[in-house]
Amino acid sequence: MSNHTVARIAVPVPLYSLFDYLLPESCEPVPVKGCRVRVQFGRKQLVGLVISTGSESNYPVAKLKPILEIIDSQPILSAELIKLLEWAAGYYHHPLGDVIFSAMPKRLREGMSGELKSENHWTLSRLGRTYSIDDLKRAPKQAALLAYLQDSSEREFTASQLNGDWDNWRAPIQALVKKSLVNIDEKIQSAVIPCPGHIKDETFIGLKLNQQQSNAATAVIQAFNAYQAFLLQGITGSGKTEVYLDIIEFALKQDLQVLVLVPEISLTPQLTQRFTQRLNTCIASLHSGLNDTQRLSAWVQANKGIARVVIGTRSALFTPMPDLGLIILDEEHDASFKQQEGFRYHARDLALVRAKNKRIPILLGSATPSFESLENISRGVYTLLNLTQRGAAGASPPQVSLLDVCRRPMEDGISDKLLIKIKEHLKNNGQILLFLNRRGYAPLLMCHECGWTTTCQRCDANLTLHHHNQRLRCHHCGYEKQAPSSCPECRHESLYIPGAGTERIEVALTKKFPDIVISRIDRDTTRRKGELDKKLNQARLGEAKILIGTQMLAKGHDFPNVTLVGILNADQGLFSADFRGTEHMAQLIIQVSGRAGRGEKPGEVIIQTHHPEHPLLHTLLESGYPGFARTALFERQQASFPPFSYMVIVRCESIQKNTGVDFLNECRQTLNYQGVELFGPLPAPMERRAGRYRWQLILLSSERKKLHGVLKHWVPGISKLKTASKVRWSIDVDPQDMF
Ligand code: ADP
Ligand code: ZN
Ligand code: ZN
């Protein structure tokens, strides 16, 4: 009998199984669940995670390969996180190995240590700074080293610095330490572990909460140490952030860690700044500006309990926090909490699971809650907290009006009436925000003579005209070419430029107002690192008088000087093919409008539309978001769409249309879908993208359990279907859009 140990390993591959390996003989200590190991997988070496150990295997033990290296002696992932990830792998029907490794910072995926590294620092003592070199005559090496230290402009020396200049410095420096000429400090290596929140001596006193804010904060504080989900529904500018800060202060006093999730990267620096000003603690901020080492640092800081507050976007949900006592998720309705590729999870839904597992409260905040959350309020699953007034003294909700632009003079996307308003607000020293959810100069180029248009050869989409470099670019696949000066079909030179994007608005207004600072904020103008931050600051300080932007500019920002908001084209979302289209449109309109009148000056919002009679716009303006949501939720219920049913989409992409359709048909045949409605194969709303045909199967059920029961037995077999290897396919549980 050999006394082998078999370890079951999760590896980062898109396969629905774990893999057995043999532990090296006399391996001490035996790695436990959550430790990383290195294994040979096919021709590659991979970092994997131990899920269990034992003596049994489903394979002949003699054929098992040995583990090459044991990376961690202690689990790198806590039992709490692994439990969450295992749950997620089950719920999203995604391979566990891929789930685990997509939740880790890249450096850990590569096998780097997750321990704090400490490093010695040497400094001259007070005595050493003035000590005469001559007194060390009998120890020439020490004398030379001391002279070097005294002459250097540096105050602190690390091994790597000394290695650069000296061959044998360790013995002499030890001797100098013994003589009290040099001090030695063990410091946590600063390159690996910077404390991002700089800790101040005095604490900034928070604003005095109004009655509603204080009621909300108290409700959450009273729920500490148990699971409870709260929805803070506060109109834009009602001071939700102040409520968060108040509760976080309480949590910190209880020695608890707090996780704060935000949708947009652009919001992280702003919020982090507000938090550092107020909270006297180490804050780790996980945003896209970090490099891989910094990302690992933040992770380690949180894991070791050094960082007490973690602020980040979607993936920060997986940050290990041993003392986690509260989760806050701001702008909970935002679609960017849903990961749209690979492991397609929803950070809000998983945050709820994490809070439940950990038995702690979770606070979701929004001015425009998702229909899922509103329905959870109706069902009594969440507790509702309301903020109905603006927080800042004197600030009141903006005045919103529809501007019917049918048959009105329009120039470059701006109607004559709106232009008058812009001039009026400029004259009164107001700040103006113009919102248009389309970047570039114009959505296409068209021939006035023969009707030729610029379509992408690889997508069912038009090429967008970019004016500054006269390029036509596809916003879906990145294809790009020079804009022609005459029609390629009929050679006519009368090319026509219909519609407008943010660039066109900027060009037009710059001509009209040459002396005004205009700032355009969209993906094209903020590509360079730091640019977005700079522009947002300029906007906040009121330096730019006219702001033009896409949804990047619309969400969550506090621009206290904005007095006029213009929504240039409200019609884009009115006739969407997606069942969530109107919900998202209404949220966007309210969020953008909410940027007006946040300070002392009153705000005004003008919505340009060709459909002023549209019921969506009417309900929204007459009864606000809550009224709109009531009507729209009723319609959803009639149609049995989520949140009144549960949806899963099987998506597939293929070069040839038939291959994809064949694959989905084969899927359909092997699916035992009793109790579940099945639609498809259907073409995706954008059938062709980047040269591939996109088709889908839609599964819908009023019972979540039933739907997941069906999937559980079916999904692992999909990759074994004959046609599966010829297509790219994926499963999207609770999809946020149909595209
Ligand atoms: P929200 O996140 O709900 O949109 P913010 O938290 O950004 O709102 O607050 C909007 C503005 O109101 C901020 O400028 C904030 O300083 C101010 N504010 C919030 N609460 C109070 C309060 N209790 N007293 C005075 N000003 C407040
Ligand atoms: Zn033509
Ligand atoms: Zn394209």
Side-chain angles (χ1 to χ4, degrees), residues 446-452 486-492 494-495:
M446 200 176 198
C447 173
H448 224 357
E449 205 57 36
C450 75
W452 167 86
S486 59
C487 174
E489 290 287 318
C490 71
R491 309 268 159 222
H492 227 275
S494 60
L495 288 181

Side-chain angles (χ1 to χ4, degrees), residues 42-55:
R43 267 190 260 161
K44 274 192 247 169
Q45 285 193 7
L46 294 178
V47 172
L49 197 88
V50 176
I51 296 298
S52 64
T53 52
S55 53

Side-chain angles (χ1 to χ4, degrees), residues 434-441 500-507 520-522 524 548-550:
L434 300 175
F435 169 78
L436 181 57
N437 218 0
R438 183 188 275 155
R439 62 198 169 87
Y441 189 83
T502 46
E503 191 189 16
R504 186 169 198 164
I505 307 295
E506 183 190 25
V507 172
R520 168 160 67 99
I521 302 185
D522 58 25
D524 294 319
I548 303 163
T550 54

Side-chain angles (χ1 to χ4, degrees), residues 32 96 108 117 125 181 222 327 352 365 380 397 443 470 508 548 569 595 612 624:
V32 292
L96 180 61
L108 290 182
K117 280 200 193 116
S125 68
L181 298 175
Q222 280 171 354
I327 302 178
L352 287 154
Q470 283 298 306
I548 303 163
N569 183 1
R595 300 315 112 205

Side-chain angles (χ1 to χ4, degrees), residues 117 146 158 357 435 544-545 681 720 739:
K117 280 200 193 116
L146 185 66
T158 60
N357 288 345
F435 169 78
K545 286 286 169 215
K720 298 184 188 101
F739 295 87

